[in-house]
């Protein structure tokens, strides 16, 4: 038997057994895969699996990738392979309900024309002059289309969500209906300050383009059944019957997006104007919020010394820092949630704080927050405030991080065990609710995130912050199925070389000071040389005195010496990284083969010694 194992016939038998095992496993276990990546990048979530297995009509997916045009783009090709493999996994899980077509749109081909027809974005490549396509189009049996124009590398964490959203949209082609109750003039109307008609807010126009809108009244007794998402904006006028209707809507599975505020600066209602600058401009959802596990003080505004905006004081005056108007940066956004993960910058004005109640049944997931350089202040401090920098006087951060927005999910009970007078008794509990609460309404106003220009009678919005994207993402997410809402942002496929990055940062710290010092010396030397040569005709340099010529030559030599030192310093920035690369080459080229050879020799020697001893 041993002789057979070490003979050529034995090796052939082992090879045939290996091939037979692979063929049998592919036939008998076609769906078994092992995902060994740290963040389970190739394991689709339960929500996606539910969407795919629940497809009733077939969906066709067209994956366009310019394979030949991207032959030198290694990172992009790796990402494209991941997209293709994930789409193939979608096709497998859908059980025949997804038809995946992989297309390489060659220049001037019908495939390229089809990609352009779908509306995919072509990126021109300056080196070759070719166009690069890397997008996805989908269609259903009704001819409805959904498109991802281009898979951006920076949005890699949202890959599964975007694919699942596209398929979910094709499975449910009708536009979602958004019910809106607003205490602010989202749709325009008459400006009470100027008496002139006001245009609709840009965010409202964007909502109207993507969703069906139903305007509801603040004294409603029931939310209509055809409402997919209820959007409340500054709901200070809601009656008790309307609050009960919201409570019942959420408990029966309706999705809620609520914007509340301790100080809605955009509130120009008669009540707010009569009661003063700060009074009468707050809104809350009490007692619903407490029942959903959230505390909210409708009289407290968050100040943040780290995120304060620079605001104009008027012509001829220096800008002021307003620590009540905040620019919320990426570090303060929840990168695990699909609503905030794609965003870069949000702006809020006199926003409030949402505080999770300890022991609540619901899960409180912050969406964006302040830094630790923040504190709460009474909203009355903003009454008749002329200079925002007065907020800095005596400001002392309390080291707490305050949450401006949160997603609330999980079991909940009714805030109205006994229905209000005039309302029918309803549900008392729910296994899972889906609510998003944002403690600011001013972020919806145009001035906080977008400039609108008039272009030949057309209003052209130019966003400078992502406030509009926040609202659309939230509505898009909530209007999807429960399965889609459960899909979260995933990890990145490309993994950074952390050792190299640490070496680079260390090298930069080590040599940056030397470089700055040499740069200063070079600037001083060049200035002195320019002063000596100022007014001198180059052809008359020979007429300069010996001392002058010596001084000029000395500065020229010093300049050349400093420039050489600068080159040496910049070279040293990469020396450690190059040394690491050299060691890696040595390990891969020489050390690993040497160790394998040594291991084989040891194995052979041990076997020989055993044979002799036997």
């Amino acid at each position: 038997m041993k002789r057979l194992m070490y003979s050529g016939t034995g090796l052939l038998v082992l090879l045939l057994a290996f091939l037979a095992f692979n063929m049998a496993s592919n036939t008998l276990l076609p769906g078994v895969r092992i995902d060994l990546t740290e963040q389970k990048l190739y394991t689709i979530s339960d929500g996606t699996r539910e969407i795919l297995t629940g497809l009733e009509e077939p969906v066709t997916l067209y994956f366009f990738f310019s394979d030949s045009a991207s032959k030198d783009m290694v990172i992009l090709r790796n990402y494209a392979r991941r997209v293709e493999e994930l789409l193939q996994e979608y096709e497998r899980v859908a059980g025949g309900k997804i038809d995946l077509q992989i297309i390489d749109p060659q220049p001037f081909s019908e495939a390229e024309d089809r990609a352009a027809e779908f509306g995919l974005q072509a990126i021109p490549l300056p080196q070759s002059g070719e166009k690069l396509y890397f997008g996805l189009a989908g269609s259903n049996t009704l001819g409805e289309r959904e498109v991802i124009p281009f898979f951006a590398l920076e949005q890699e964490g949202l890959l599964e969500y975007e694919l699942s959203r596209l398929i979910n949209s094709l499975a449910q082609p009708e536009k979602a209906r958004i019910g809106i109750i607003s205490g602010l003039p989202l749709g325009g109307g008459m400006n009470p300050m100027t008496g002139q008609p006001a245009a609709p807010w840009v965010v409202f126009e964007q909502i109207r383009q993507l969703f069906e809108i139903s305007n509801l009244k603040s004294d409603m007794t029931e939310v209509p059944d055809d409402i997919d998402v209820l959007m409340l904006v500054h709901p200070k006028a809601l009656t008790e019957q309307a609050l009960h209707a919201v409570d019942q809507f959420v408990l029966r599975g309706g999705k809620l997006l609520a914007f509340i505020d301790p100080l809605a600066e955009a509130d120009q209602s008669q009540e707010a104007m009569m009661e003063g600058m700060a009074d009468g401009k707050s809104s809350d959802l009490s007692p619903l919020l407490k029942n959903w596990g959230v505390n909210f003080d409708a009289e407290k505004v968050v100040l943040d010394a780290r995120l304060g905006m620079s605001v104009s004081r008027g012509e001829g005056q220096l800008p002021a820092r307003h620590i009540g108007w905040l620019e919320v940066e990426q570090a303060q956004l929840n990168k695990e949630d699909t609503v905030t993960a794609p965003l870069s910058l949000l702006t809020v004005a006199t926003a409030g704080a949402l505080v999770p109640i300890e022991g609540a049944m619901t899960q409180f997931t912050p969406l964006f927050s302040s830094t630790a350089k923040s504190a709460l202040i009474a909203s009355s401090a903003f009454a008749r405030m002329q200079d925002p920098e007065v907020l800095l006087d005596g400001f002392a951060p309390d080291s707490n991080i305050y949450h401006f927005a949160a997603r609330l999910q999980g079991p909940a009970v009714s805030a109205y065990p006994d229905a209000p007078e005039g309302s029918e008794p309803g549900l008392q509990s729910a296994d899972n609710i889906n609510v998003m609460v944002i403690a600011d309404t001013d972020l919806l106003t145009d001035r906080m995130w977008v400039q609108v220009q008039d272009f030949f009678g057309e209003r052209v919005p130019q966003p400078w912050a992502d406030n509009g994207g926040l609202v659309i993402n939230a509505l898009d997410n909530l209007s999807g199925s429960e399965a889609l809402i459960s899909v979260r942002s995933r990890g990145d496929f490309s993994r950074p070389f952390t050792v190299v990055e640490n070496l680079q940062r260390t090298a930069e710290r080590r040599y940056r000071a030397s470089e700055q010092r040499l740069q200063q010396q070079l600037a001083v030397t060049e200035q002195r040389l320019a002063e000596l040569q100022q007014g001198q005709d180059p052809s008359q340099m020979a007429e300069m005195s010996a001392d002058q010529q010596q001084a000029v030559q000395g500065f020229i030599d010093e300049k050349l010496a400093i420039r050489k030192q600068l080159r040496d310093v910049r070279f040293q920035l990469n020396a450690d990284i190059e040394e690491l690369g050299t060691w890696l080459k040595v390990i891969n080229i020489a050390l690993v083969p040497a160790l394998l050879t040594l291991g084989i020799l040891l194995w052979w020697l041990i076997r020989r010694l055993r044979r002799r001893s036997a």
Side-chain angles (χ1 to χ4, degrees):
M1 184 65 184
K2 289 184 177 180
R3 289 181 180 179
L4 177 63
M5 291 297 293
Y6 291 103
S7 66
T9 305
L11 292 176
L12 180 60
V13 170
L14 288 174
L15 177 61
L16 292 174
F18 175 75
L19 293 175
F21 172 77
N22 277 278
M23 293 174 64
S25 62
N26 288 333
T27 304
L28 300 175
L29 304 170
V32 176
R33 301 178 63 190
I34 299 177
D35 186 354
L36 299 178
T37 57
E38 181 182 354
Q39 295 169 310
K40 300 300 178 185
L41 299 175
Y42 296 96
T43 303
I44 61 175
S45 65
D46 292 338
T48 294
R49 193 175 297 274
E50 184 179 336
I51 292 172
L52 297 176
T53 55
L55 289 175
E56 297 180 357
E57 297 292 332
V59 170
T60 304
L61 299 180
Y62 306 90
F63 176 50
F64 292 87
F65 179 65
S66 303
D67 185 72
S68 55
S70 62
K71 56 182 179 297
D72 297 325
M73 308 172 74
V74 178
I75 295 177
L76 191 69
R77 290 177 68 86
N78 288 339
Y79 185 31
R81 185 166 64 249
R82 184 197 167 192
V83 174
E84 182 178 333
E85 290 174 349
L86 192 57
L87 287 170
Q88 290 170 343
E89 179 70 1
Y90 273 49
E91 183 181 32
R92 185 190 67 79
V93 174
K97 292 297 186 180
I98 288 182
D99 176 22
L100 175 62
Q101 300 184 23
I102 300 171
I103 303 170
D104 180 4
Q106 300 287 338
F108 307 106
S109 66
E110 292 184 4
E112 184 182 36
D113 293 341
R114 195 169 194 185
E117 179 189 350
F118 275 121
L120 269 64
Q121 292 178 357
I123 306 299
L125 301 177
Q127 296 86 355
S128 60
E130 295 184 61
K131 293 180 179 179
L132 174 69
Y133 287 92
F134 183 22
L136 181 72
S139 63
N140 58 18
T141 53
L142 299 177
E144 300 281 344
R145 292 179 175 181
E146 289 287 334
V147 174
I148 299 176
F150 195 87
F151 288 103
L153 284 169
E154 58 269 19
Q155 299 298 325
E156 188 179 348
L158 293 170
L159 175 60
E160 183 187 357
Y161 177 77
E162 288 299 318
L163 296 179
S164 301
R165 184 196 60 79
L166 181 144
I167 294 171
N168 187 72
S169 298
L170 292 172
Q172 303 174 2
E174 292 185 3
K175 283 186 178 182
R177 181 168 293 276
I178 312 299
I180 297 181
I181 300 177
S182 178
L184 299 176
L186 292 177
M190 191 68 65
N191 188 327
M193 303 294 291
T194 63
Q196 299 295 321
W201 295 4
V202 172
V203 70
F204 182 78
E205 292 180 326
Q206 291 183 345
I207 295 171
R208 191 161 50 188
Q209 290 172 6
L210 298 173
F211 304 95
E212 297 290 342
I213 292 179
S214 293
N215 291 306
L216 307 179
K217 295 182 179 181
S218 58
D219 60 351
M220 65 179 181
T221 57
E222 185 180 9
V223 179
D225 291 334
D226 64 344
I227 298 299
D228 297 298
V229 182
L230 179 61
M231 180 173 168
L232 304 179
V233 179
H234 198 40
K236 66 176 187 178
L238 289 186
T239 63
E240 191 174 18
Q241 287 79 11
L243 286 169
H244 178 255
V246 173
D247 173 82
Q248 291 299 298
F249 173 75
V250 170
L251 291 178
R252 71 172 188 252
K255 318 301 192 304
L256 173 66
L257 175 61
F259 294 85
I260 57 179
D261 207 326
L263 178 57
E265 298 185 27
D267 187 353
Q268 302 296 326
S269 63
Q270 290 185 355
E271 176 192 358
M273 300 302 292
M274 289 176 59
E275 294 190 16
M277 181 67 181
D279 299 331
K281 292 193 173 188
S282 66
S283 54
D284 195 357
L285 275 178
S286 181
L288 300 183
L289 284 183
K290 286 191 175 181
N291 241 48
W292 297 334
V294 180
N295 277 326
F296 173 72
D297 191 334
E299 297 181 353
K300 293 292 179 65
V301 171
V302 178
L303 303 183
D304 193 316
R306 167 70 177 78
L307 303 178
M309 290 177 61
S310 177
V311 297
S312 174
R313 282 173 162 160
E315 188 175 354
Q317 298 187 61
L318 293 175
R321 279 195 67 224
H322 196 324
I323 60 174
W325 288 16
L326 310 178
E327 293 181 332
V328 183
E329 301 165 341
Q330 278 191 326
Q332 283 73 52
L333 302 179
N334 183 347
K335 288 304 177 183
E336 300 297 321
D337 196 286
T338 52
V339 169
T340 48
L343 309 179
S344 299
L345 175 69
L346 296 173
T347 57
V348 297
T350 54
L354 302 175
V355 181
I357 297 175
E358 189 174 352
M361 294 187 295
T362 52
Q363 178 184 354
F364 181 100
T365 304
L367 295 178
F368 56 97
S369 312
S370 73
T371 70
K373 299 288 185 181
S374 55
L376 293 175
I377 187 175
S379 58
S380 58
F382 292 85
R384 293 174 291 278
M385 184 182 69
Q386 300 295 323
D387 184 358
E389 287 199 344
V390 301
L391 297 172
L392 290 166
D393 297 340
F395 174 73
D398 57 18
S399 300
N400 289 324
I401 293 177
Y402 295 100
H403 305 304
F404 300 121
R407 185 194 289 268
L408 311 176
Q409 291 176 298
V413 297
S414 174
Y416 294 92
D418 300 318
E421 185 178 350
S423 299
E424 294 291 330
L427 299 171
Q428 294 300 308
S429 64
D431 293 333
N432 186 52
I433 65 170
N434 277 294
V435 174
M436 286 189 198
V437 183
I438 300 175
D440 185 45
T441 59
D442 295 298
L443 65 83
L444 300 172
T445 62
D446 292 353
R447 66 172 181 170
M448 292 302 296
W449 70 281
V450 63
Q451 280 187 326
V452 181
Q453 295 186 348
D454 190 311
F455 185 74
F456 296 103
E458 294 289 331
R459 299 177 75 235
V460 180
Q462 296 180 330
W464 52 272
D466 296 323
N467 297 18
L470 169 72
V471 179
I472 298 303
N473 288 356
L475 291 175
D476 192 43
N477 179 264
L478 290 173
S479 62
S481 64
E482 295 280 349
L484 182 65
I485 293 173
S486 69
V487 179
R488 291 289 180 262
S489 176
R490 305 293 291 274
D492 289 340
F493 172 77
S494 55
R495 303 298 300 273
F497 291 98
T498 54
V499 174
V500 173
E501 289 179 352
N502 291 334
L503 282 173
Q504 190 169 17
R505 283 193 290 267
T506 302
E508 286 178 353
R509 285 195 299 268
R510 186 185 308 161
Y511 298 112
R512 191 63 65 204
S514 299
E515 185 179 25
Q516 291 175 351
R517 175 178 55 80
L518 291 171
Q519 286 281 16
Q520 291 175 356
Q521 290 181 7
L522 180 61
V524 172
T525 301
E526 289 179 337
Q527 182 179 357
R528 291 178 179 175
L529 183 59
E531 290 173 355
L532 280 174
Q533 293 178 335
Q534 188 174 8
Q536 291 285 347
D537 187 344
S539 63
Q540 305 296 323
M541 290 293 289
E543 300 179 5
M544 296 175 63
S545 66
D547 291 341
Q548 288 177 321
Q549 291 181 13
Q550 186 177 359
V552 170
Q553 189 60 45
F555 281 125
I556 292 175
D557 293 342
E558 184 179 354
K559 175 181 175 181
L560 294 175
I562 293 173
R563 289 176 65 87
K564 182 178 182 303
Q565 292 180 58
L566 272 173
R567 287 195 298 272
D568 292 340
V569 166
R570 286 170 183 165
F571 173 79
Q572 287 297 324
L573 277 173
N574 295 318
D576 291 340
I577 297 173
E578 291 177 359
E579 183 180 354
L580 175 64
T582 302
W583 276 109
L584 289 175
K585 290 177 184 177
V586 170
I587 291 171
N588 283 283
I589 296 172
L591 184 58
V592 171
L595 289 174
L596 288 173
T597 304
L598 181 61
I600 293 171
L601 289 174
L602 287 173
W603 175 78
W604 174 81
L605 182 60
I606 291 170
R607 286 187 57 83
R608 187 168 182 177
L609 291 174
R610 285 179 178 175
R611 285 179 181 177
R612 286 184 177 180
S613 61

